[in-house]
Amino acid sequence: MGNEEAVYFSRGLTELTLSFHIIFATIGVGIPLMIMIAQWVGIKKQDEHYILLARRWTRGFVITVAVGVVTGTAIGLQLSLLWPNFMQLAGNVIALPLFMEVFAFFFEAIFLGIYLYTWDRFENQKKHMLLLIPVAAGASFSAVFITIVNSFMNSPRGFDIVNGQLVNINPILAMFNPAMPTKVTHVLATSYMTAAFLLAAIGAYRLVKGSNHVYHKKGLFLTMKMGLLFSIITAILGDFSGKYLAEYQPEKLAAAEWHFETEEGAPLMMYGVLDNGEVKYALTIPFGLSILAHSNPKAEVIGLNEFAEDEIPPLYIHYLFDTMVTIGMLMIGISFVFLLGFWRRWRFVLTKSFLWIVVFGGPLSFLAIEAGWWLAEVGRQPWILRGIMRTSEAATTSGQVDTMLLLFAGLYLILGIGSMVVLTRMFRKNTVEQELADRASDKAGETV
Amino acid sequence: MNLEFIGIFVLWLFLFGYVMVASIDFGAGFFNAYVTLTGKQHILSKIIQRYLSPVWEVTNVFLVFFFVGIVGFFPRTAYYYGTTLLVPVSIAIILLAIRGSYYAFTTYGGLKHKRYTYMYGLTGLFIPASLSIVLTISEGGFVTNETPGPALNYWDLFTSPLTWSIVVLSLTAVLFISAVFLTWYAHEAKDEHATNLLRRYALIWAGPMILTASGIVVELHAHNPEHYARLMDVWWLFILSVALFIGTVYLLWKRQAYGTAFGLLTGQFFLAFFGYGIAHYPYLLYPYLTIYDSFTNEAMAIALIIAFVAGLGLLLPSLYLLLRLFLFNKEYVQGKRNDHT
């Protein structure tokens, strides 16, 4: 196997692992916050339904955490196994947040173990809820630290290269690089948003399937509120991301927007096709790109013509950008209409057809997450460390990457099927109605 | 004391932590599968489940900590070990992944079938075997530095008696450590049947464990004389270690003080592990990589150490809480409480 093949398969394996892991990572970051909110509302209102929401979400969460942990271990090791040259270089500058991530994760793991096994152990329910704070904080901080590493790959800072040697290394400066604020906040907000829409989709699905229980309606209402909140925040942060890109990674923005020539008052192109370098059938928003890039309709936006041919990312990332943005906007719309309808008692938001839209919103949000990460990673090509090291220089020289790709594909298949089977079985066997009745009789038994 | 030394000391300490907690976990899985196979499931399964449930995820973190830490403190290890370990470590990851997730699937997801119990038990043997290969490789002689990069010579590796001795040691050590710990745990739980059975397992595996461990020293004499000579410089550590081993076996034999027995065992492995590590110093990979030529820059090292101390400040109280609530909580250990979500 020549080294080009090793690079090719290393990219394939990394993409596969990340694409699989990010599903569970997103759930892992977002769900604890939702559980916390539900439990808090439940304690405040003394409403058994919200408490049960928290309990049931927790049960599902444990399964996804397990898959998230093991695939996270896989990607952590694959960084060194597949990209040894990159880690050798980057380890000198960006090892600190990777190291801190382990602590955040450790913290989360310990308290998750405690939280799981102490339901009903405390007289005061609030004490039990407090145990969830380190879980949620640990999960979110894991995301923060890992995203910092990714932002460093996009805008490496905190060192100088003199005669091929790394000098003046400053780990803190490397962490607080220009890409860090927009990336970290974007990852967090989208995780919360996606988790909310996932839970909303589950509630909506139960309602579609004939349950008319108020439990599901409460859950749906709560998660749609969270979904709307975080999808609006995501949209605002997305705008900041555009400004960051225009300033620090103009080639990424230009490739994503098919912006070929530097010009003032640049329009934003959505969708469309490329025909010999011409954009056709695109939805054009006049001055849109200038506004996105610089908040000024007249501003100049750098085009791809300013960059060498071998330093621009592939142009298909345009569609990834479109997918991500379209779904994001769609979700704002769906949740807004739903909530407005819920407040104003419009019947149609609880009809089957509208609920189906909410159901599909769950998987769609995950598609947006995937598209966003592919955009982030493919959009950085040909660099693994922008401007410093090319992806092709970073990969392993081992000849067995193709076999490993097959093995890991098999693993993710097993884990994917396994987690789906287990999750459906868990909740189908133990219905909400059944569980509410059981808990009520338990309570009655205690007071007698 | 220099930064390189602090770095490797901390990492070695965490690796020791992983070896202990993971051995308990791997061995517990194996014993659980074994009693299921021989129809004595009713004696052990409950005890083992009760111990594993709240701590399974924590075990994995020790390993992650070690490999993230070693790339952080010694980035050049990523180049040498990253390139050469692709296959063995990938296999270990896959086994760990299946093991970890199916543990959750069966414990929390109600996936009940004997085949998962067997799978869990078997991965508990294959994982230490595949991970222990890393120690073998570090002894040198299996990695060649070619263009375009370092490569692992699989034929030499798998035909070397050293490889197989280390694999066997990893297995016997896993079973011994686990059996001793679980004997103590079962005794705390006042479960006499389980205690007796586990005590028997512990005594059965004590002999093979100490035999294979001594065998390694002989193998090293032939394979890596330099390392062997340095081992002999710290011979007294190994003598002490053997003394603690005899103490453990004596207490088990006499059915006394199982807690102390586990303490002695921890001491035994601590001394042997550090004796081995000190003799390995300064090499990370004979003869290419030492902790000095692979070390990161000073700024990063100091930042990592500060992060480590701060992290420990957060972790130690939390670990203490976890242990107090479950491991050292009489009601929980004796199965009077569950409170699972």
Side-chain angles (χ1 to χ4, degrees), chain A residues 88 92 117 119 121 415 425, chain B residues 53 76 101 110 297 329 339:
Chain A
Q88 180 174 229
N92 278 296
Y117 282 90
W119 282 90
R121 186 143 158 181
L415 296 186
R425 270 180 44 146
Chain B
S53 298
R76 269 185 60 182
S101 44
N297 52 85
N329 183 297
D339 297 331

Side-chain angles (χ1 to χ4, degrees), chain B residues 138-140 162 219-229 280 286:
Chain B
S138 78
E139 293 296 336
L162 180 67
E219 297 289 343
L220 268 184
H221 182 54
H223 187 87
N224 184 343
E226 192 184 342
H227 191 183
Y228 176 79
H280 213 292
Y286 282 98

Side-chain angles (χ1 to χ4, degrees), chain B residues 38-59:
Chain B
T38 51
K40 289 184 230 160
Q41 201 177 0
H42 55 281
I43 307 181
L44 278 195
S45 286
K46 270 201 184 128
I47 281 285
I48 288 177
Q49 289 284 342
R50 209 177 303 144
Y51 163 72
L52 284 181
S53 298
V55 298
W56 66 276
E57 212 193 349
V58 176
T59 310

Side-chain angles (χ1 to χ4, degrees), chain A residues 248-301:
Chain A
Y248 295 97
Q249 286 182 283
E251 77 284 2
K252 198 178 196 174
L253 183 68
E257 311 302 345
W258 285 353
H259 181 60
F260 298 109
E261 305 290 331
T262 302
E263 62 176 323
E264 294 177 1
L268 182 70
M269 316 257 208
M270 297 287 285
Y271 321 110
V273 288
L274 263 188
D275 185 17
N276 278 331
E278 291 278 308
V279 183
K280 283 189 179 162
Y281 315 114
L283 179 71
T284 308
I285 303 165
F287 308 109
L289 187 54
S290 285
I291 295 173
L292 175 65
H294 300 290
S295 307
N296 174 359
K298 291 275 160 53
E300 183 182 82
V301 182

